[in-house]
Amino acid sequence: MTKRFDVGGVAVSGDHFIGGERISSPGTFETRSPLDWSNLLLGEVARGDAATADHAVRAAADAFPAWAALSPQERGRHLHRLADLIEAHKDAIATVECLDMGLLEDSLRLRLVPRGALNFRNYADLAIEHEERVWSSKGTANRVIRMPAGPAVIITPWNAPFMLSTWKCAPALAAGNTVILKPAEWSPLSASVLADLIAEAGIPPGVFNIVQGLGREVGDALVRHPGVRRISFTGSVPTARVIGRAAADNIVPFTAELGGKSCLLVFADADIEAAAKKAAGQYDDSGQVCMAGSRLIVEESVREEFLAHFHRFTDAHVMGDSRDPDTTMAPMIHPDHVARVEGFIARARAAGDRIVRGGNRPHADGLWIEPTLIEPASNDSEVVQSEIFGPVLTFQTFADEAEGIALANSTAYGLSGIVYTGSAARAERVGRAVRAGTVWVNTFLVRDLTAPFGGIGISGLGREGGHFALEFHSDLKTLQILEGSTA
Ligand code: NAD
């Protein structure tokens, strides 16, 4: 075990959490704060390797039979205890994640961390209701039995680390699987706080393990490990392709929640001011949101009205320290990511796309890019077709509903979509026509945890949420007993 370090008053461990114990690695990597990249080194985090992955999978496999044998009610009691502790420590988690990832502290405290607790509560309760089907057929009594599958590897991205980790781990644990969580290397620390709470909640050692390190090292070793029975991944399309191949080699079920290039489609009959406000809100978190409506597609007749409101709301954004309640745009996660986003803007300029606003860094040494709006020269422009994952939106117009839908559906992605219209018939028609796993009409990011969530096209494979995730984490068995043959 290595020494803990102080992150905003919270003593955080950089070690792994395996079999209920803190374990170090010979190698480490640095985690720095996006709030003050040059000056704020938060700490050194264990850099796991193949031996770490093997240790974690063995610990999860050892703990599996006893955890799987518990009733859903008994597992649920553990998960509710963990949720209680998350609620009790929400300020500490928010502080650590704000410093480590840069997300707005208020948004973490009020929205994302409480949602983490809710993820465990929701699945603790859902697993109890997860009914087994019973029926009679051809002289046999039939039952569908759901069996926990075994150790599950959960791999998460850097952009909403705590919320996403809990969202993905909760169904695995509730279904009776044991878990090895591998958080992203750019924001590893809130998972370490979670490990302390797992221990405090009394969850049996080995049931919930956390391994730190780089994706291409310990992540790769985890997804290739033959002892793993489920892989649940959230991240980018290129990484999903690599992990998918590893899953195929071991014939392991795999889900992938990937990137998006979602539309925000505005019809002339909508509340234009409300639509423009929501559009300017896509810059929150500096656009580092998978579901962001990053393509503004507006009916030509309301172009000027929409843009006037949009610029007014965008002008009100404050790029600042994420701990300051007045800040609305958090810094971006890492200088490499800033450079990547700047690359998109530079190539758009060079290709003849029109930069309507923004495109620059307001502070030379800070990780912000101004809210940027680009009117592309063509729908084939890179900024329209590729996920940027930064504060960059595109602006296009359409003449009629058919053209609007065609533009909305013109990328390879299909994670989500936002539609603004005042017509009930159009809401239904266009809501069905937009090709995406989730479509919101006249709202955004309202989530019911029992609803399926996932992507179409290259935005993903499989569904999370509600019973869908419990199903993924279970092996189904059909048990048939000849009626009258037993007493
Ligand atoms: P990424 O694919 O680079 O990394 C995601 C995770 O995979 C990290 O933990 C990383 O360490 C790990 N990883 C990388 N290579 C690996 C390998 N070879 N084997 C095993 N693990 C490996 O993605 P990112 O940059 O961290 O996250 C941003 C992406 O995530 C964006 O595309 C965003 O849209 C997407 N995302 C999707 C959702 C969703 O629910 N659909 C939610 C949030 C983010």
Side-chain angles (χ1 to χ4, degrees):
M1 189 165 87
T2 45
K3 206 162 150 276
R4 287 181 176 245
F5 44 84
D6 180 276
V7 179
V10 183
V12 176
S13 164
D15 288 341
H16 313 291
F17 180 71
I18 300 176
E21 289 179 19
R22 291 290 183 176
I23 309 281
S24 57
S25 270
T28 58
F29 65 96
E30 282 185 351
T31 185
R32 290 187 166 268
S33 177
L35 305 189
D36 185 2
W37 186 263
S38 311
N39 302 309
L40 201 48
L41 170 65
L42 297 175
E44 295 282 338
V45 179
R47 183 169 170 171
D49 54 17
T52 319
D54 187 55
H55 183 181
V57 175
R58 284 176 196 279
D62 288 348
F64 174 68
W67 181 250
L70 294 181
S71 67
Q73 285 83 352
E74 288 166 320
R75 286 196 292 265
R77 274 196 285 279
H78 283 288
L79 300 185
H80 275 296
R81 240 185 342 262
L82 182 55
D84 293 342
L85 287 168
I86 290 170
E87 280 162 3
H89 292 83
K90 74 174 184 336
D91 290 348
I93 299 167
T95 298
V96 170
E97 184 134 305
C98 170
L99 281 160
D100 194 31
M101 192 276 152
L103 284 169
L104 301 181
E105 190 164 13
D106 272 356
S107 159
L108 281 160
R109 217 165 24 83
L110 301 174
R111 199 169 59 82
L112 291 167
V113 178
R115 165 72 192 277
L118 199 58
N119 287 335
F120 285 111
R121 294 203 190 288
N122 181 53
Y123 274 107
D125 296 343
L126 262 183
I128 293 166
E129 293 169 13
H130 202 204
E131 287 164 0
E132 292 188 341
R133 190 178 160 213
V134 180
W135 76 105
S136 173
S137 158
K138 297 180 181 168
T140 59
N142 293 254
R143 280 167 66 199
V144 173
I145 296 176
R146 290 187 174 80
M147 299 172 300
V153 164
I154 312 278
I155 299 200
T156 49
W158 50 259
N159 67 316
F162 187 78
M163 196 285 285
L164 283 172
S165 300
T166 55
W167 166 246
K168 294 177 76 67
C169 292
L173 294 164
N177 293 341
T178 50
V179 162
I180 306 112
L181 166 66
K182 210 297 280 170
E185 50 269 47
W186 280 358
S187 53
L189 297 186
S190 59
S192 188
V193 180
L194 180 63
D196 290 338
L197 304 183
I198 293 165
E200 194 177 336
I203 293 179
V207 166
F208 195 166
N209 307 279
I210 295 173
V211 161
Q212 302 283 12
L214 312 190
R216 62 178 185 277
E217 296 177 356
V218 74
D220 185 68
L222 281 169
V223 299
R224 290 181 193 287
H225 198 291
V228 168
R229 295 317 313 151
R230 287 293 184 276
I231 300 171
S232 172
F233 170 71
T234 299
S236 66
V237 175
T239 306
R241 293 197 170 106
V242 175
I243 296 179
R245 284 184 206 113
D249 284 345
N250 288 340
I251 318 288
V252 174
F254 160 61
T255 53
E257 297 291 345
L258 309 176
K261 193 71 194 178
S262 303
C263 64
L264 196 161
L265 192 54
V266 183
F267 288 91
D269 60 12
D271 178 340
I272 303 299
E273 186 173 6
K277 185 173 186 191
K278 201 56 87 182
Q282 305 304 309
Y283 294 124
D284 295 356
D285 299 327
S286 279
Q288 303 170 122
V289 177
C290 58
M291 291 167 285
S294 54
R295 290 181 299 136
L296 311 183
I297 304 173
V298 177
E299 193 160 349
E300 181 61 42
S301 59
V302 291
R303 172 193 169 103
E304 295 311 321
E305 182 187 354
F306 175 89
L307 281 175
H309 288 303
F310 174 80
H311 286 308
R312 181 167 51 85
F313 287 120
T314 301
D315 288 343
H317 267 299
V318 178
M319 287 171 272
D321 190 305
S322 305
R323 292 165 291 191
D324 183 342
D326 291 336
T327 297
T328 63
M329 268 181 78
M332 297 171 71
I333 178 87
H334 193 285
D336 290 356
H337 189 50
V338 174
R340 182 180 167 276
V341 174
E342 284 184 305
F344 277 105
I345 298 170
R347 289 192 296 279
R349 263 191 234 278
D353 296 337
R354 189 168 79 89
I355 313 296
V356 179
R357 67 175 296 154
N360 301 307
R361 291 172 75 164
H363 321 289
D365 58 346
L367 302 187
W368 290 265
I369 292 179
E370 293 166 335
T372 301
L373 187 69
I374 300 181
E375 196 163 2
S378 122
N379 192 51
D380 296 332
S381 293
E382 184 192 34
V383 285
V384 178
Q385 295 297 327
S386 301
E387 184 188 47
I388 300 174
F389 218 53
V392 180
L393 307 179
T394 57
F395 182 77
Q396 296 169 283
T397 58
F398 61 91
D400 57 25
E401 188 177 299
E403 191 190 1
I405 292 168
L407 283 172
N409 291 344
S410 67
T411 77
Y413 293 94
L415 187 59
S416 57
I418 310 168
V419 178
Y420 270 80
T421 175
S423 153
R426 178 171 276 147
E428 188 67 27
R429 208 166 49 233
V430 178
R432 286 173 181 272
V434 170
R435 191 173 144 274
T438 303
V439 175
W440 287 281
V441 180
N442 299 329
T443 185
F444 177 51
L445 277 190
V446 178
R447 294 273 295 115
D448 179 326
L449 302 192
T450 62
F453 177 78
I456 293 175
I458 64 167
S459 285
L461 195 65
R463 290 291 178 272
E464 297 189 321
H467 291 288
F468 303 90
L470 290 174
E471 208 74 54
F472 169 74
H473 282 288
S474 310
D475 283 326
L476 297 191
K477 175 188 287 182
T478 304
L479 178 65
Q480 287 187 293
I481 301 176
L482 185 66
E483 281 169 346
S485 65
T486 54

